[in-house]
Amino acid sequence: MSISAPSLLGRLLGYDGVIATLLLGAFQFFLVSLSFIACMTPVLAFQALVGWQSTHLALWLGAASLSTAAPALQALVTAAAPLLRGDRAAGAFWRGFADAVRTRRAIALLPSAAALVLGYDVALLGADGAVLLGATAIAALVSAVVIAVSFLDSPLRGAALLIAAVRIVMLRPHLALAWLLLAALAILATTLPVIGAVAWLSAPALAAVAAEICNRSLGFASARERVGT
């Protein structure tokens, strides 16, 4: 049975056709990525205006600029599931951000505290290979724990929530490595010539969706159950 040309064009070009659905989905990814970039404005402003300097003011400003990183990451994770379903995700992003600011203030301070300690270590001990390697390892561990906290939908608060996230990273180190790899790929995509600026508008949301798929495939739910969350 053949399909008539008008019917085929309607499926492709109609308001609920394939092309319209793809465009709406891409627009949702754009909105979520743009929302994430807006939340990370303090970090971007610090990098553009100050950058790394071994001074007290620069170290404290750099640490303060990271205060929105953990809430923004939780908001990005919150929006990943609606993006996978093809639902509107921008509202979910901002609800996740507001919830993180309201209920997870202690976790929001973790990246700032880690950046401050590591910054002083590098400034005082020098930027030789061993110091940089140790700082990178600690930064990667802190990042993995913050991402694990973002994926935890739990009534736990403060230290209990942090301990649960650390246990998940220990139970599923391959998950932590997958998260860090996806984050690194997203950051590298934004540094590419010509297409780097465009990658800013899609890489954060794509990385969050990829991380959500990894969680479903690699056993994040079972790890969460084992720590009682």
Side-chain angles (χ1 to χ4, degrees), residues 16-30:
D16 57 348
V18 174
I19 294 178
T21 301
L22 289 175
L23 289 176
L24 288 174
F27 184 62
Q28 289 300 315
F29 275 79
F30 165 76

Side-chain angles (χ1 to χ4, degrees), residues 66-145:
L66 288 170
S67 59
T68 60
L73 190 57
Q74 180 175 331
L76 192 63
V77 165
T78 302
L83 284 173
L84 269 176
R85 296 193 301 266
D87 297 338
R88 294 182 178 180
F93 178 95
W94 289 110
R95 286 192 297 272
F97 184 81
D99 179 69
V101 171
R102 186 177 64 255
T103 63
R104 298 187 175 184
R105 296 171 186 170
I107 303 301
L109 296 177
L110 183 60
S112 296
L116 192 61
V117 171
L118 294 177
Y120 271 108
D121 282 345
V122 174
L124 294 175
L125 301 178
D128 59 15
V131 174
L132 289 178
L133 181 61
T136 301
I138 295 173
L141 178 60
V142 171
S143 300
V145 171

Side-chain angles (χ1 to χ4, degrees), residues 73 136-151 164-185 207 210-221 223:
L73 190 57
T136 301
I138 295 173
L141 178 60
V142 171
S143 300
V145 171
V146 172
I147 296 172
V149 169
S150 301
F151 278 110
V166 171
R167 291 183 63 187
I168 284 178
V169 171
M170 293 175 63
L171 288 170
R172 293 288 190 275
H174 53 289
L175 262 177
L177 291 175
W179 296 334
L180 295 176
L181 177 60
L182 291 170
L185 290 175
E212 178 69 18
I213 294 173
C214 286
N215 285 356
R216 297 181 183 185
S217 303
L218 300 177
F220 177 80

Side-chain angles (χ1 to χ4, degrees), residues 36 143 180-192 196 199-200 203-204 207:
F36 179 76
S143 300
L180 295 176
L181 177 60
L182 291 170
L185 290 175
I187 294 171
L188 288 174
T190 63
T191 64
L192 294 174
W200 273 108

